[in-house]
Amino acid sequence: MQEPEKTNLYLVPTPIGNLEDITLRAIRILKEVDVILAEDTRTSGKLLQHLGIEKRMHSHHLHNEHKASAHLAERMKAGEVMALISDAGTPGISDPGFLLVRECLKAGLKVECLPGATAFVPALVKSGFSTDRFTFEGFLPLKKGRQTRLISLAAEERTMIFYESPHRLLKTLTQFKEYFGGERMASVSREISKMFEETVNGTLDELIELFTTKAIKGEFVLVVSGAGAK
């Protein structure tokens, strides 16, 4: 009987809020690998301590991913097994991971991604908008390309999902109104799986009015209904 192919890199989702949102398999993998690649070793160190895991960690983030990926792939080729985690959620989704995965695949290494926590799926399902077809846009460009992206999305018929930080929420909602129209339906979710989780639905006009007077705290997922959606 042929032995299963050895996995060299595991992508392991971590909780986005509630620390119970991690699978038994994820915990086992984190205990078994040789090295854990972490976006922020201090943040991940607290999670590992909570889980009772003592493991060597190596910093792997957006600022060193380009330089480090080829070297890490060589180490895995030499026999090390690694797990990549981000501060919260699934690695590679608006977080580091894409470049390392590409480098590993190019080197003929086996990459495995575990299922687990990610913020946009609960926000999409709770929005009440169509889930048959949707587009995940993540964070919009801060400056260059932002207007072009919004213009291209104005006629998008699929449900659209965006990530946004608290200090840019109102600006983004206002720009959505400008390009999509104030009557377009949208949903704003914040602090998913945390104690103060909240989801608010309404037209863009209504949401702008609400968040003009409401305290804006936490990490946000914005879900916007597609053009022509009923």
Side-chain angles (χ1 to χ4, degrees):
M1 184 176 176
Q2 188 177 5
E3 290 187 8
E5 185 183 358
K6 176 184 175 182
T7 298
N8 305 98
L9 174 67
Y10 291 94
L11 307 177
V12 181
T14 54
I16 57 176
N18 192 317
L19 293 180
E20 294 179 353
D21 293 337
I22 189 166
T23 67
L24 296 174
R25 183 180 172 210
I27 296 172
R28 175 177 63 80
I29 294 297
L30 291 176
K31 288 179 178 179
E32 291 178 352
V33 296
D34 300 310
V35 181
I36 295 175
L37 306 175
E39 186 178 3
D40 186 325
T41 54
R42 293 166 298 180
T43 300
S44 296
K46 295 175 184 177
L47 173 65
L48 296 182
Q49 185 178 21
H50 172 78
L51 297 173
I53 298 174
E54 293 184 11
K55 188 66 59 173
R56 182 161 52 104
M57 281 194 293
H58 180 80
S59 182
H60 187 79
H61 46 73
L62 288 173
H63 302 294
N64 71 0
E65 189 177 17
H66 279 85
K67 293 182 178 179
S69 294
H71 173 65
L72 292 171
E74 285 299 320
R75 285 174 54 180
M76 284 182 258
K77 210 167 184 178
E80 286 187 86
V81 178
M82 301 185 182
L84 174 65
I85 59 176
S86 63
D87 289 347
T90 300
I93 303 296
S94 295
D95 276 322
F98 156 66
L99 292 175
L100 181 59
V101 169
R102 185 174 66 179
E103 200 67 41
C104 287
L105 295 178
K106 192 165 68 175
L109 300 170
K110 183 179 178 182
V111 178
E112 198 167 341
C113 182
L114 277 61
T118 186
F120 79 81
V121 173
L124 169 63
V125 174
K126 290 203 304 176
S127 72
F129 303 146
S130 173
T131 58
D132 293 341
R133 298 173 68 236
F134 59 88
T135 174
F136 174 70
E137 295 294 325
F139 289 98
L140 286 168
L142 295 182
K143 294 180 181 178
K144 186 178 180 181
R146 189 179 179 94
Q147 184 181 31
T148 303
R149 179 78 62 83
L150 288 167
I151 290 172
S152 71
L153 291 172
E156 174 60 66
E157 295 183 352
R158 294 171 294 179
T159 302
M160 298 173 283
I161 308 166
F162 305 85
Y163 284 164
E164 195 49 278
S165 60
H167 64 277
R168 284 196 300 268
L169 176 66
L170 260 178
K171 175 185 176 181
T172 298
L173 289 174
T174 302
Q175 288 181 321
F176 284 172
K177 174 183 176 178
E178 180 183 349
Y179 291 94
F180 306 157
E183 291 302 309
R184 182 77 69 93
M185 292 297 296
S187 174
V188 177
S189 292
R190 72 179 187 97
E191 300 291 84
I192 289 176
S193 94
K194 298 179 183 178
M195 184 179 296
F196 299 106
E197 178 178 348
E198 180 184 29
T199 295
V200 183
N201 285 24
T203 66
L204 288 170
D205 279 334
E206 291 169 341
L207 292 172
I208 290 168
E209 182 179 358
L210 173 66
F211 285 102
T212 298
T213 57
K214 185 180 176 69
I216 302 176
K217 297 179 180 179
E219 297 300 319
F220 290 84
V221 184
L222 313 181
V223 184
V224 182
S225 61
K230 294 182 181 179

